Each structure stands twice: as C-alpha cells, then as structure tokens.
Amino acid sequence: MQFTPQQLTGGPRFHHRTRLGNWSEDLELDEIRLKDYLKKKETGSLIVTAKQQQLEASLAQVELSPSPEGFLQFGHRVMFLSHQSKGFLSANAYDPVQKSQDAWILTTGPNGYPCVRNVFELERADYHDGFDDECVHYGQNVRCKIHPFSKIETPAYLHSELVTALAAAKFSRHQEVTVLAAPTGETLWQVLYPDTQARFEMEGEPVPAGSPVVLRHVQTGSFLASDEIPYNNLFGMEFEVHCFAYYSLNKTQNLVGEKRGDITGDHNLRKHGLPNIWTVVTATHGLGGESTGEPIPEANQ
C-alpha cells in the first residue's frame, strides 16, 4: 500500500469519500477491517466475547451443602471467608502456575454467591485417623477439593509448599497457595480452633459450621492467610492468598507460665491475626445463615 507524504508524517487522514490521497486503499482497508471484525464476532474470538465466556464458565452457580446438625461433615460443599480481606477463597482457572502437576492461583474475592470457583468440598484424607463419624474434627487431616470447571479439567486440591526461589507468593513473597490437580502430601490441612489458649482443650472436638477457624498446612506448619494485598485479574481487584503465621507481637510471658507449671513449651500463647482467621460458610450457617455464636478471637498485630 502507498501512503501520501501527509500520512507518512502523521498528518490528518482524509475519508475515502474525499477522493484525495490514497482513497482507494483506505476504502479497501476499511472493508478488510469490517470483514475481520465480522469473522471474529461470528467465531466468538473477539476479546470482549472471550472474556464474557470465561466469566460465564467461572461464575456458574453451585449449591452449598446444608449443615442441619450444626457441624461440618466430609462431603460438605463450603466457602471460606477471610476475616481480613472480607473476601471468599476463589480459584482462577486462567492464572496457571508451573508445578509438578497442573496448578492455578488462589485469591480472595468479594463475590459472595456460591459458584464453581469459590465452593470447595471437604474430603477425608485418611479413613483410619481414629475418628468413627463423618464430622470434621479439630486437628484432623482434611483436603479441600474444588470441582472441575473451565480450564481446570480434573478435581484440584488446596495446596502449598515451602518458599523457594521459584515458588513464592507473587507480591508478599510468603508461602504460595494454589489448587493442585493431584492429592499429594502437600494438599493436607488441619482445621484448628482459632484461640491458641483453648486449642489444646478443643483438639478432637467436632468443628461447628459457620464458626471462625484457622487452617494449618500439615507439611510446612504454616497457616492459610489472606491480607489486603491487591491482586488484579480477570474478575477485577481481588486479594492475594498465601501461607504465613500472623501471630501477635505482644509479650506472652511463656517462661513465667512454665516456671509456675501452668503451661508447657507445647502451648503457643501468641494469638492469631485476622489474616489467619477464616469462617467456613455452609448453606445454613455462616454468611446469611445461623451463627454458632462463637466470638472471633481478638488479635494484636
């Protein structure tokens, strides 16, 4: 295509109807652009159409499991609400991570409607763990499974691993948290009582639905957390999810308590910060449902 000296220097471009300059080439170029647009619209390859299809695939509605007995049970489909970011734990099928298996990034988002990207199923990790019923107990190993949707073609499990040069959270550089397409040893978690001073006494008790909890990663000993660290993606501005122990910084007088015989070195008296506190939401307990009435433990950060 030939261009006029005015066009080559960035000057104003006449409409092809003016019949000045390269009006014939300009007319042909407009027709080519129109045909290209109509073809992309017909095949659904327009950027706006592709984004709409991705959103529709990721926001398909899913029903939460009811908890009429008031306790969490294996097989329940639940949501995890962060007390710090006020967002729900969500998977992004369009943000993959390089791992030994297929993996995708997790964030916390403001969408409170249960959908395929923010509903997890509680799965029992070991059927010989010493508990006879189907209730989830404090300190019991569990897996949190998300069902296939969009580009996640197989069930994926809540996963974390130690910080390395190639594996760390994008912004905070803490322990990275993803969903992994294989139930490995790095996908084991424990639901713990949020108050560290009463945690020992609550060990082995059933977990009430809709109550605040702490999720501990079994292999690394760190805790699932979400802070108000912006993470922009397809769904807008969400917040980063990682593993880190947000303990309070005040003095707990551990040595004094050990000297008196009140506690032992096994007791962790530092309180968890809000980034480590989560509410497990079911259809009947938690957000918009009944409350267990348990207070959220205060934390000094």
Side-chain angles (χ1 to χ4, degrees), residues 58-172:
S58 300
L59 300 177
Q61 188 175 1
V62 175
E63 294 293 332
L64 292 175
S65 300
S67 49
E69 298 178 358
F71 297 102
L72 294 179
Q73 294 189 357
F74 292 107
H76 276 180
R77 294 191 175 188
V78 299
M79 297 164 62
F80 295 97
L81 172 64
S82 170
H83 286 208
Q84 176 71 7
S85 66
K86 304 296 189 295
F88 294 86
L89 189 64
S90 306
N92 187 355
Y94 305 98
D95 194 356
V97 187
Q98 190 68 31
K99 301 286 182 186
S100 59
Q101 304 283 342
D102 293 335
W104 297 268
I105 282 293
L106 284 170
T107 54
T108 51
N111 181 21
Y113 294 98
C115 58
V116 289
R117 70 180 295 251
N118 62 13
V119 173
F120 293 79
E121 181 179 330
L122 301 176
E123 185 177 280
R124 195 165 194 162
D126 183 10
Y127 285 93
H128 303 285
D129 50 16
F131 297 98
D132 299 330
D133 55 2
E134 288 298 314
C135 288
V136 180
H137 300 79
Y138 288 115
Q140 187 177 9
N141 288 357
V142 300
R143 286 190 173 96
C144 302
K145 178 175 68 176
I146 195 167
H147 289 270
F149 72 95
S150 189
K151 292 190 176 182
I152 302 180
E153 299 177 351
T154 58
Y157 299 83
L158 188 62
H159 163 271
S160 187
E161 59 183 335
L162 287 173
V163 176
T164 65
L166 300 177
K170 187 174 182 180
F171 300 108
S172 66

Side-chain angles (χ1 to χ4, degrees), residues 152-200:
I152 302 180
E153 299 177 351
T154 58
Y157 299 83
L158 188 62
H159 163 271
S160 187
E161 59 183 335
L162 287 173
V163 176
T164 65
L166 300 177
K170 187 174 182 180
F171 300 108
S172 66
R173 309 309 296 173
H174 290 318
Q175 203 168 294
E176 188 177 42
V177 177
T178 61
V179 284
L180 189 75
T184 64
E186 295 176 335
T187 61
L188 293 176
W189 299 81
Q190 290 178 345
V191 180
L192 301 182
Y193 193 71
D195 188 354
T196 54
Q197 296 186 8
R199 181 171 295 170
F200 182 77

Side-chain angles (χ1 to χ4, degrees), residues 253-264:
Q253 309 295 337
N254 289 44
L255 295 179
V256 175
E258 289 184 32
K259 181 180 179 181
R260 292 200 305 257
D262 297 336
I263 59 172
T264 65

Side-chain angles (χ1 to χ4, degrees), residues 169-237:
K170 187 174 182 180
F171 300 108
S172 66
R173 309 309 296 173
H174 290 318
Q175 203 168 294
E176 188 177 42
V177 177
T178 61
V179 284
L180 189 75
T184 64
E186 295 176 335
T187 61
L188 293 176
W189 299 81
Q190 290 178 345
V191 180
L192 301 182
Y193 193 71
D195 188 354
T196 54
Q197 296 186 8
R199 181 171 295 170
F200 182 77
E201 290 80 1
M202 295 299 295
E203 191 82 9
E205 294 295 325
V207 181
S211 62
V213 299
V214 171
L215 293 174
R216 176 181 176 271
H217 189 233
V218 173
Q219 192 169 76
T220 63
S222 191
F223 300 92
L224 184 68
S226 178
D227 206 348
E228 294 177 345
I229 304 173
Y231 196 116
N232 291 295
N233 55 25
L234 172 69
F235 307 93
M237 191 187 76

